Amino acid sequence: MGIKEFLKNNTVFLDGGMGTLLQERGLSAGELPERWNLEHPEEIIAIHRAYYDAGSNVVNTNTFGANILKFAPDELESVVKAAIENARTAAEQSVGKQEKFVALDIGPTGRMLKPYGDLDFEDAVAIFAETVKLGVKYGADLIMIETMNDSYETKAALLAAKENSTLPVFVSNAYGEDGKLMTGASPAAMVAMLEGMGADAIGVNCSLGPKALAPIVLEYLKYASVPVLLKPNAGLPCSVCGKTHYDVSAEDFAAEVSELVKKGVRIAGGCCGTTPEYIAATVNACADIVPLPVEKKNITCVSSYTHAVVFGEEPILIGERINPTGKKRFKEALKAHDIDYILKEGISEQEKGVHILDVNVGLPDIDEVSMLTEAVTELQAIIDLPLQIDTSNAAAMESALRRYNGKAMINSVNGKQESMDAVFPLAKKYGGLIVALTLDESGIPATAEGRFEIAKRILDEAEKYGIEKKDIIFDPLAMTISADNNAARETLRAVGMIKSELGCHTSLGVSNVSFGLPNRDLINSNFFALALGRGLSAAIMNPYSAEMMNTYYAYRALAGLDENCAEFISSAQAVSTVTQTVTEIKEDFASELQKAIIKGLRDRAAALTEAMIAENDPLEVVNREIIPALDTVGVGFEKKTVYLPQLLMSAEAAKAAFEVIKSKMPSGKASDKPPFVIATVKGDIHDIGKNIVKLILENYGYPVSDLGRDVSPEKIVEETVRLHAPIVGLSALMTTTVPAMEETIKQLRASAPWAKIVVGGAVLNREYAEQIGADKYAKDAMEAVRYAEVQS
C-alpha cells in the first residue's frame, strides 16, 4: 500500500527531531549531520528505529541539508543512498506493526532567490532536482519538503520534485509568530500555490510549539482541499548546562497536537526538540480519534507572494493599464525596454485600489517570451498584488508562469480545441486560475445560450486534465453596443446563467462595451453596475476612471460589503478627475527620490540621486533623503505593514543611490559609522538572514566585514580584533550549529571583550540568546540595525 492510499482512511504519524538526538550521540559543533549516514550508520538506524517503534508511519531520511551546494556530486549520491538504506534497515528492524514509509527529506538551500538574493530560480530548481533524482534512484516512498520559509524557494523545490519523480510530495513551511513566512506569505497564499501545483499534502513545521502554530493550522484547514500536516517544535528552546532543552513536555505536546487532529489535521509529527517519546505520546493521544475526511473547499482564488485574493466575497478589480493596446506611450516603453515605466504603472494602479494587475506586453516586434517573464518578475519584486498573465503566446505563458511566485490568473483559454490543448497542461503543471473566453472555432455566439454551451464544453475538457471548475473563471465577452443593440443584454444574461447554472465565477473586460461611443466612462460604469447586479465576480477595468471607481464603491456600500459606508465616504472625499492619468495622481511622499527608494525603483533612485547631488551636498542627500526613506520602510517592516521582499527591494534602491553618492565623494566614504563583523557560524551554510542584515546595515552606512558562512570561531575573533569592531553579528539556522555559536561567543569574550554580540536565526529566541552569552537577540534585520544605531 502506498502512502496516498494509506492516508485516505488513516491519520499518518511522522517522526520527530533529528539534530538534537545526533548531538546527544556526539555530533560536534560544525560537523555535517548528513555525513553520519556514512560514518555512523548505526546511530542513524537507531534513531529511525526508535521513531518507528514509537509508532511513526513515516520517517524522514537524514538528508535535510543534502544538496550539491554542500556536497560534491559523488558524495551527495553516497549520502542519499546510505540515508535511504539506513531508514529501510530501521523499518525492517522495528518492532512496530504499523505501515512504514521512508520519506526523502529536503530542506532549504540556505540562500535567498533573486531578486532578493543571488540564487536564480532555475538554479534552485536544478539543486533540488539532483537530490530528488537520487531519492528516486535509491527507493524513497515519498518526498518531504520541509522548513521552507520562502514561498519562491518552496515553489522551486516542489517543481523539482514534480518534474523529476512521480512520488507523492508533502510540503511543509515554517511560519513566524506573525503567522507569515519570512518573505511574507500567508497560509492562504501558500495553500493556493501548493494545491495548484499538485502537492499531495501541505502544512507547517518548526519555528513554534503546537499551541502557537494552531491558528496557522486552522487557516490551512479552512482553505486546503488536500490533507494538512503538522510538525511543531517542542515549544521554545533554552540552554541548560550547555545543552538545548525545550519547554513543552511530551504529554502536553501530544495533548495539543491531538486537539488539532480532532479538527482535521491528517498528518502529525514533531520537529526541533521532539523525540520518540513525543511521537509515542502523540500516537497514543490520537488512538481513538476517527480521522476527519478531507473536504473539497471549492475556493476560487489567486495569490501573490504575500496573500490570496478570493473570488465571490466581493467584486475583484483587475487593473488593465499594463497593456499596449491603444496606448502609444506604453508601446514606446516596451520597444525601449523601459521596465521602470511598467513598474510605475503597476504601482499607480495598486495605489488606486485594484486587487490584481493584468500584465500584457504583446507587440509584434519584441521578444514576448523574454519581455513578459521579465515584466512579471520585476513587478513581483516591488508589488505584492497577484498578477493576471495575459498572452496568447503559449511559450510566453509557460515562461512567465514558471517564474511567477504564487498562483496567477491565466488569461486566457477559449473553446477552440487548439487553445485548450495549449493552456490546460500549463495550468495543471503550474497552477492558476484560468480565464475562459466563451468563443470557439465558430466565433463568438450572439446569444447567451450559445456562450453558455461553450462554457460547458470548456469545463468538460478541463475535467480531463483534472482541473476543477473552481479554477476556471468565465469571460462571456462584453461586445460593443454601437454595433449591436443587444450586445450588452446578452452578455449580462450569460453572466447570470454561468453563475446560477454552472456555479462558476465570471470576469469581464468592461470597457469593450462602449467602443466607438462618446463619453465612454458613463457607458462603462453603468454596464459595470448592471453586471455586478447579475453576479459578476471581477472586472478588467481602468482604475483611473472616477466613474468606474465610484460605481465600485457605491455597489459595495449598497450590497452591505462596506461597514458604515466608510470606504465609500473616503472615496467620495478623494480628489479625482474623470480622465486622471498616471502622472496626475497625487503622491504623499516627501520627494520623488524618497518615493523611488520606498517603492524599490533602483534605476530611478540612481537617476534622481544623480540629479539631486548636482545641486546639493552628497551627505545632505544621504541624511535628508535616503536615510528617512529607509526609516519609513523599516518602520513599516517592524509594524508588519511591509514585508521582507519590499524591505530588500527598497534597500537595493537605496544602495543604488549610495553608489552614486560614493562615486562623487573624494574619499568614497559616505559615513563615519564603525565596522560591523558578521558571519554564519561554523557548520551552518544558511546565510539568508546574515545577508539581509548586511544589506540593511550597509544602507545605513555601516562598513560590514562579511566573513560568509560556515565560519570558525577563530576566524571571527581574528577579524573582530583586527578591526577592533565594536559589534559582531552571528547567525545560525540549525539546532546542530547553536553550540558553535556559543563557542564563538566564549572566544569573543576572552579575546575581544569590548565587542557587543548580536545573534539571530530561526532556532533562537531572546531567552536562549541570553543563556549562551549574547548581548542582543535580533528577531529580524531592522532590530539588528536599531541596536547598532544605539551602540554607535
Side-chain angles (χ1 to χ4, degrees), residues 348-496:
S348 295
E349 289 193 271
Q350 182 181 36
E351 291 171 347
K352 295 302 289 182
V354 302
H355 306 104
I356 298 168
L357 295 177
D358 183 75
V359 183
N360 184 317
V361 297
L363 280 181
D365 44 359
I366 68 167
D367 180 353
E368 188 178 0
V369 174
S370 173
M371 190 65 183
L372 182 60
T373 305
E374 183 177 4
V376 165
T377 54
E378 291 289 339
L379 282 164
Q380 282 211 294
I382 65 166
I383 294 173
D384 69 347
L385 295 182
L387 303 182
Q388 176 171 274
I389 301 173
D390 186 353
T391 179
S392 58
N393 182 325
M397 179 65 78
E398 175 160 25
S399 180
L401 283 174
R402 189 175 180 87
R403 291 276 181 160
Y404 183 76
N405 188 358
K407 178 182 179 182
M409 285 190 79
I410 299 172
N411 192 9
S412 58
V413 75
N414 59 57
K416 296 178 182 178
Q417 193 62 47
E418 179 184 21
S419 174
M420 293 187 286
D421 290 346
V423 174
F424 284 156
L426 299 181
K428 182 62 177 175
K429 179 176 182 178
Y430 298 107
L433 175 60
I434 308 163
V435 179
L437 311 182
T438 54
L439 63 88
D440 61 11
E441 288 83 357
S442 300
I444 302 171
T447 65
E449 287 77 11
R451 298 178 204 183
F452 180 80
E453 289 302 315
I454 293 174
K456 288 200 297 184
R457 292 203 304 273
I458 291 173
L459 287 179
D460 290 342
E461 187 68 18
E463 190 176 4
K464 297 176 184 177
Y465 290 86
I467 297 172
E468 300 176 45
K469 69 178 184 179
K470 74 181 179 68
D471 286 325
I472 297 179
I473 183 168
F474 286 99
D475 184 343
L477 300 166
M479 307 298 290
T480 178
I481 57 172
S482 63
D484 180 358
N485 288 341
N486 296 319
R489 184 188 65 192
E490 293 303 311
T491 298
L492 293 171
R493 288 182 60 232
V495 167

Side-chain angles (χ1 to χ4, degrees), residues 679-684 709-711 716 730-732 737-738 740-741 744:
T680 301
V681 299
K682 181 68 177 175
D684 205 319
R709 51 190 180 173
D710 190 17
V711 185
I716 295 170
L730 303 176
S731 176
T737 57
V738 174
M741 179 181 280
T744 302

Side-chain angles (χ1 to χ4, degrees), residues 500-733:
S500 63
E501 297 183 40
L502 294 181
C504 292
H505 292 282
T506 53
S507 174
L508 284 173
V510 174
S511 61
N512 294 338
V513 76
S514 64
F515 186 77
L517 293 173
N519 203 356
R520 294 187 64 186
D521 277 351
L522 181 61
I523 295 290
N524 294 343
S525 59
N526 278 276
F527 177 63
F528 184 31
L530 290 171
L532 290 172
R534 295 291 185 102
L536 182 72
S537 309
I540 304 175
M541 47 78 74
N542 176 11
Y544 308 138
S545 164
E547 283 92 339
M548 287 292 290
M549 295 305 295
N550 287 341
T551 296
Y552 167 73
Y553 286 116
Y555 175 82
R556 291 186 74 252
L558 291 166
L561 300 172
D562 183 2
E563 189 163 352
N564 299 322
C565 300
E567 291 191 25
F568 175 78
I569 293 169
S570 177
S571 69
Q573 292 172 341
V575 178
S576 61
T577 61
V578 173
T579 59
Q580 192 174 32
T581 65
V582 177
T583 55
E584 291 173 325
I585 296 172
K586 302 301 180 184
E587 303 287 7
D588 187 20
F589 295 98
S591 70
E592 283 298 309
L593 176 55
Q594 287 195 27
K595 177 183 177 181
I597 292 171
I598 291 168
K599 294 296 184 180
L601 299 172
R602 298 182 299 268
D603 293 345
R604 182 161 175 76
L608 289 168
T609 302
E610 188 83 42
M612 191 169 284
I613 62 174
E615 300 179 0
N616 298 274
D617 177 72
L619 283 178
E620 185 182 348
V621 173
V622 170
N623 294 322
R624 192 185 70 208
E625 300 288 342
I626 300 176
I627 297 300
L630 285 171
D631 282 339
T632 298
V633 178
V635 169
F637 180 72
E638 291 165 334
K639 292 181 176 179
K640 305 300 182 185
T641 58
V642 169
Y643 297 108
L644 180 62
Q646 297 159 288
L647 176 69
L648 293 178
M649 294 312 296
S650 294
E652 288 291 347
K655 183 178 180 180
F658 269 122
E659 291 303 317
V660 174
I661 298 281
K662 290 177 182 179
S663 70
K664 302 298 182 181
M665 297 186 70
S667 65
K669 183 178 180 182
S671 174
D672 57 358
K673 299 288 179 65
F676 192 117
V677 174
I678 194 167
T680 301
V681 299
K682 181 68 177 175
D684 205 319
I685 66 163
H686 302 86
D687 61 358
I688 290 175
K690 171 186 68 66
N691 291 343
I692 293 167
V693 173
K694 174 190 174 184
L695 177 62
I696 306 302
L697 282 168
E698 287 178 336
N699 276 286
Y700 274 82
Y702 288 89
V704 178
S705 176
D706 181 6
L707 299 180
R709 51 190 180 173
D710 190 17
V711 185
S712 68
E714 293 76 16
K715 186 174 180 180
I716 295 170
V717 169
E718 179 185 349
E719 182 70 354
T720 304
V721 171
R722 185 184 73 81
L723 296 174
H724 200 77
I727 311 179
V728 179
L730 303 176
S731 176
L733 177 76

Side-chain angles (χ1 to χ4, degrees), residues 124-166:
V125 174
I127 289 166
F128 291 122
E130 290 301 314
T131 304
V132 168
K133 287 184 279 190
L134 292 171
V136 172
K137 180 177 180 179
Y138 292 108
D141 298 314
L142 68 148
I143 296 168
M144 173 72 77
I145 299 167
E146 64 171 343
T147 324
M148 293 286 177
N149 55 17
D150 173 26
S151 59
Y152 209 25
E153 186 175 27
T154 309
K155 176 173 181 172
L158 180 54
L159 193 58
K162 287 291 186 178
E163 289 184 334
N164 294 280
S165 83
T166 57

